[in-house]
Amino acid sequence: MDPRHDPDLILGHLEGDLSPEDAAKVQALREADPDFAALLDGLAGDRDLLRAAPGAEPPAGLADAAMADLERSMLLDDADDGIAMLPPGRRRRFAIAPLLTYGGIAAVLALTASAVLKSVQPPATSPTIAAAPAGDGFDIAAAPIQAQRELARLDRAEVGFGADDTADLGRLETGAGGPVVAETAELAGLAAPPAADRVDRSALDDASPPPTVHAKGGLADADVQNTTRQAKTSASEIVVDAAPRPEEFQNKGAEPSAAFNNDAFSAVPVARAAAPGARALGRAATFGSGSPADRRAVPGVVAANETLTLDEAAADPGAGSAAFTLDAVYVPGDATDPVSIAIRKLLSKEAGESNAAPPALPQPGDLIRGITPAPTATPAWDQPLDPLGTDWARWTTLTPQP
Amino acid sequence: MDTPASNPTVPTAATAPTAPDDERDLVAAARGGDRAALGRLLQAHERRIYNVCLRMVNQADDAAELTQDTLMKAVQKLDGFRGDSRFGTWLTRVAMNGCLSHLRKRKLRQTASLDAGLPGASALRLADSLPQSREPDAHSRVEQQEGLRQLYEALAGLDPDHRAVIVLRDIDQMDYAQIAETLEIAPGTVKSRLFRARLALRQSMNPAPAHGAV
C-alpha cells in the first residue's frame, strides 16, 4: 500500500501517536509530495479548529426544567402521566391520533381477555382479597403483625410496614438460599417483633454505640461496618445473614460503597446488586426522596415481598427495567389515602364487570397477593414506592390467598 | 446554522466538570434520593451535553430538547447506571443515541456512508482528496469564524455515524476507549471511522475533482 493511503499512518500523525520511525516516514512523504502535505495540513486544521471552537451556551435551566418536569409528572393523574414525562417540546407535538388508535386496540384486547378469563374462572365471593389468618388473639391492632407472620411462614421472611416516620423497616431477601440482608425496625404502637429483629429508629443518634453485627455470609467487614454506620441505629443487634459476597457486587456492576447510601432502605440496593430476583420487604413503607426529612410512611398498602427481574437487554443504554410482583399487607389510612382509593376503585370496577356484589373492602391486615404493575410502570427499584406516581388501575391482579 | 456564543470554557469529556470521586459521590447521593446532588450532577453535564447535541443535530432548539430529554432519561434511568463507566460517558451515550434517533427521524442522511464500499475505497477517496493545485489553504484566506461556520456546515452534512465520532473526538474530546464505549463499537472501528470521517469532512470543506494524483 502506498503509505500516503495508510489510514493508520495518517490518523496516527493527526492524533500525535506515531512512533518516531513512522513520524519520520510521514515527514519524508510530506517533503516529497506537497499535495500530501496539504491534505495533512487540511485535516489537522479541521481538527484544530473544532477543538478550539468555543462552546455554545445552552438555554438557561435545562437541568432544572428536566427535574421540574419529572416532579410535575409525579403529581399529575394517571391520564396525564405519560404525557407529562415528555419534555415540553415533545409534549407540544404529542399527537392524539396514535393514542386513540392504540388505546382503542388495547381496550378491545383487554375486554376480550377479560371475557375469556371470566368464562374460565370459577366465581369467588371475594375474588381479590383474602383475609389474613385470624388465629388466637387476633385483633385489629395486631392484624398487620399477624399477616406479616403468615407471610413470614409462607416466604421464610419477615415483613414490615411503616406506621409513622419513626417506624419503618425493611428486610430483604433474595431467592431461596440467596443472600439476605436484614434490617428491622420497631413497629410503633402495634406490636414488637422479636428482640433480635428490632431496631429502634426513634433513638437515631450518631453518638450511639455501634450495634453488634453478626455477618454470617461473605460480606466484607468494611461493608458490614458501612451498613451499620449508614443505618444510624442504636439497635442492639443487626443480623446480616448470608450476606452478598464482594464478587456478587462486581458481577452486577455495583459498588458496595454505593449500595449503602440510603438510610431508609439501605439494604435494597444490596439485594438488587446481589442477585436478580431479589425480593424486597417493606419497600413501600416510606414515601419520598429517601432522605429522613422527606420520608414518611404510606398508609394503604405496604409491600410484603417483591420478585424483581432485571431486564439486562433494555433498549436504552445503562437502563434496566424492573418487572415485579408484590404481595402486600393492607394498612388502612384515612379517606384520602391514595392507595385505599385506588383499591376501592379497582374492586368496584371488578364488581361492576361481573355483576356481582361489590366485594368487601380489605380489612386491616388482609393480604393482597400478586399485584403486578403494568409494563409501562417502571418505578425505580431502589426508591420507595410512590403510590401517587403509580398507575394503580393497571395493577390488575389481586388474587386470593391460596 | 447556529453560531456558538463565544465561550471558551465549555466542559468536555476530557475536562470533566466533576472529578471522578466527586461524581461517584454525587451519583450515589442522587440514587439515594438527594435532590440537590441530582441537580448538581445534571447541571455539571448540561452544557457539555448540549454542545454534543448541537453539533450532532445542528439546530439549537432541537439540541435543547434533546439535552433536556437526555437529562430526564438520566434521572429516570439513574438506577440502571451501574458505574462501569463514568457517569459523563454514560450520559453522553444516552445523548448520542437520542441524537442518532432524532437524525434518523429527520432523514438527514445527506452524505453516503464512507464506511460502505469496496476494499480500497478509502485509498481511492484519499486520492480524491489530495488537492490538484497548490492553492493556499482555505484557513489562511478566511476569518477563523467563517472557517468554523463552514466546518460546522460540513460537519452537519456528514453521515451521522461519522459526525458522531468527530463530535466525540474533537468537540467532546473523548479518547478512543470512551468513544468506543459511547458508540458501542470496537476501538478499531473507532479509528477507521474517525479516519474516514476526517477525510469526508476535509472533502466537504475543500472539494476536489477526482483524479489520480497519487
Side-chain angles (χ1 to χ4, degrees):
Chain A
M1 174 189 288
D2 186 330
R4 293 175 299 174
H5 300 168
D6 184 348
D8 290 337
L9 197 65
I10 295 173
L11 192 62
H13 168 75
L14 292 172
E15 301 295 331
D17 53 9
L18 285 182
S19 67
E21 294 76 17
D22 285 340
K25 187 188 298 182
V26 170
Q27 184 58 32
L29 290 170
R30 287 178 60 97
E31 292 170 357
D33 185 347
D35 289 344
F36 181 69
L39 173 64
L40 292 185
D41 290 343
L43 291 170
D46 294 344
R47 176 206 58 195
D48 292 343
L49 201 54
L50 284 175
R51 291 186 180 182
E57 192 68 31
L62 281 181
D64 291 339
M67 291 180 66
D69 228 18
L70 284 169
E71 288 173 353
R72 190 161 52 247
S73 73
M74 295 176 66
L75 300 175
L76 297 179
D77 61 22
D78 295 343
D80 291 335
D81 206 28
I83 302 175
M85 296 300 288
L86 299 172
R90 242 3 116 72
R91 206 177 307 155
R92 285 195 301 271
R93 300 174 190 174
F94 192 81
I96 193 68
L99 185 67
L100 292 174
T101 302
Y102 293 119
I105 293 172
V108 170
L109 291 175
L111 287 173
T112 304
S114 175
V116 170
L117 285 175
K118 287 182 184 303
S119 69
V120 300
Q121 283 184 338
T125 54
S126 180
T128 59
I129 302 295
D136 293 340
F138 179 82
D139 59 28
I140 294 297
I145 304 301
Q146 294 289 334
Q148 291 170 46
R149 293 291 176 257
E150 174 62 12
L151 267 184
R153 185 185 67 76
L154 293 173
D155 300 321
R156 302 187 301 107
E158 296 289 339
V159 297
F161 64 95
D164 59 40
D165 202 17
T166 63
D168 62 339
L169 69 84
R171 176 165 178 147
L172 311 177
E173 179 174 329
T174 63
V180 174
V181 175
E183 176 192 359
T184 58
E186 184 176 29
L187 309 177
L190 294 172
D197 291 346
R198 295 176 58 183
V199 172
D200 182 3
R201 282 184 173 273
S202 64
L204 300 183
D205 185 357
D206 286 339
S208 300
T212 302
V213 174
H214 300 289
K216 297 180 182 178
L219 194 66
D221 287 346
D223 296 329
V224 174
Q225 293 303 320
N226 196 15
T227 304
T228 59
R229 179 175 58 78
Q230 294 288 345
K232 292 181 181 177
T233 81
S234 60
S236 60
E237 189 174 64
I238 291 178
V239 176
V240 180
D241 187 5
R245 297 181 296 275
E247 58 266 29
E248 289 177 308
F249 287 111
Q250 293 163 7
N251 289 342
K252 292 298 167 188
E255 299 175 13
S257 61
F260 297 98
N261 60 2
N262 185 340
D263 70 351
F265 284 102
S266 62
V268 174
V270 179
R272 180 193 174 208
R279 288 178 296 156
L281 307 182
R283 176 176 160 220
T286 61
F287 171 38
S289 69
S291 64
D294 194 25
R295 200 172 70 231
R296 50 191 182 274
V298 179
V301 168
V302 172
N305 73 57
E306 299 173 45
T307 300
L308 178 74
T309 302
L310 294 177
D311 180 5
E312 302 285 353
D316 285 333
S321 65
F324 59 86
T325 61
L326 66 84
D327 297 345
V329 178
Y330 182 66
V331 182
D334 58 24
T336 61
D337 161 21
V339 179
S340 299
I341 292 172
I343 289 176
R344 284 196 292 272
K345 284 169 61 179
L346 185 58
L347 294 178
S348 299
K349 177 173 177 286
E350 292 189 349
E353 289 175 353
S354 63
N355 293 321
L361 289 176
Q363 296 301 304
D366 280 354
L367 298 183
I368 304 173
R369 306 214 61 185
I371 300 174
T372 304
T376 53
T378 54
W381 158 235
D382 60 355
Q383 293 294 314
L385 192 64
D386 174 12
L388 293 179
T390 299
D391 185 359
W392 281 89
R394 294 179 185 170
W395 292 45
T396 53
T397 308
L398 301 184
T399 58
Q401 181 187 1
Chain B
M1 178 69 213
D2 299 289
T3 302
S6 177
N7 194 333
T9 59
V10 61
T12 67
T15 59
T18 54
D21 288 344
D22 293 344
E23 189 173 83
R24 267 195 293 273
D25 291 343
L26 284 177
V27 170
R31 292 175 70 169
D34 186 337
R35 190 187 184 283
L38 180 61
R40 283 181 56 198
L41 197 61
L42 297 185
Q43 284 164 359
H45 291 278
E46 169 190 74
R47 197 163 171 216
R48 186 178 64 80
I49 294 299
Y50 174 75
N51 276 272
V52 167
C53 292
L54 178 60
R55 294 281 63 90
M56 281 300 294
V57 302
N58 206 35
Q59 294 283 342
D61 288 346
D62 288 350
E65 185 176 322
L66 284 163
T67 303
Q68 188 173 342
D69 204 11
T70 299
L71 299 178
M72 290 177 69
K73 280 184 180 173
V75 175
Q76 292 170 318
K77 311 291 185 185
L78 188 61
D79 185 52
F81 172 59
R82 300 177 182 282
D84 297 335
S85 60
R86 288 201 58 183
F87 177 77
T89 306
W90 177 75
L91 197 60
T92 307
R93 193 191 317 164
V94 175
M96 191 56 77
N97 282 350
C99 289
L100 292 173
S101 174
H102 177 84
L103 290 172
R104 276 194 292 272
K105 291 173 185 171
R106 279 197 347 198
K107 300 183 185 302
L108 274 185
R109 303 183 71 88
Q110 296 175 348
T111 304
S113 171
L114 293 177
D115 277 343
L118 299 172
S122 63
L124 290 173
R125 290 195 172 87
L126 177 58
D128 294 345
S129 298
L130 294 176
Q132 249 178 336
S133 66
R134 299 179 187 180
E135 293 175 354
D137 188 272
H139 298 134
S140 66
R141 290 183 284 106
V142 296
E143 298 278 341
Q144 186 183 43
Q145 190 65 22
E146 175 61 13
L148 188 58
R149 188 191 64 77
Q150 292 178 356
L151 200 55
Y152 283 156
E153 283 185 356
L155 186 64
L158 291 187
D159 177 277
D161 289 341
H162 288 158
R163 196 184 317 165
V165 77
I166 285 192
V167 166
L168 294 179
R169 180 65 181 139
D170 289 344
I171 294 176
D172 209 28
Q173 300 189 20
M174 285 184 166
D175 58 30
Y176 290 155
Q178 288 175 310
I179 296 173
E181 191 175 348
T182 299
L183 297 180
E184 298 179 283
I185 57 179
T189 306
V190 172
K191 293 179 103 175
S192 62
R193 193 175 290 182
L194 181 61
F195 171 73
R196 295 174 194 279
R198 290 199 187 287
L199 209 57
L201 187 64
R202 185 91 291 268
Q203 284 182 310
S204 298
M205 289 292 290
N206 187 20
H211 66 93
V214 288

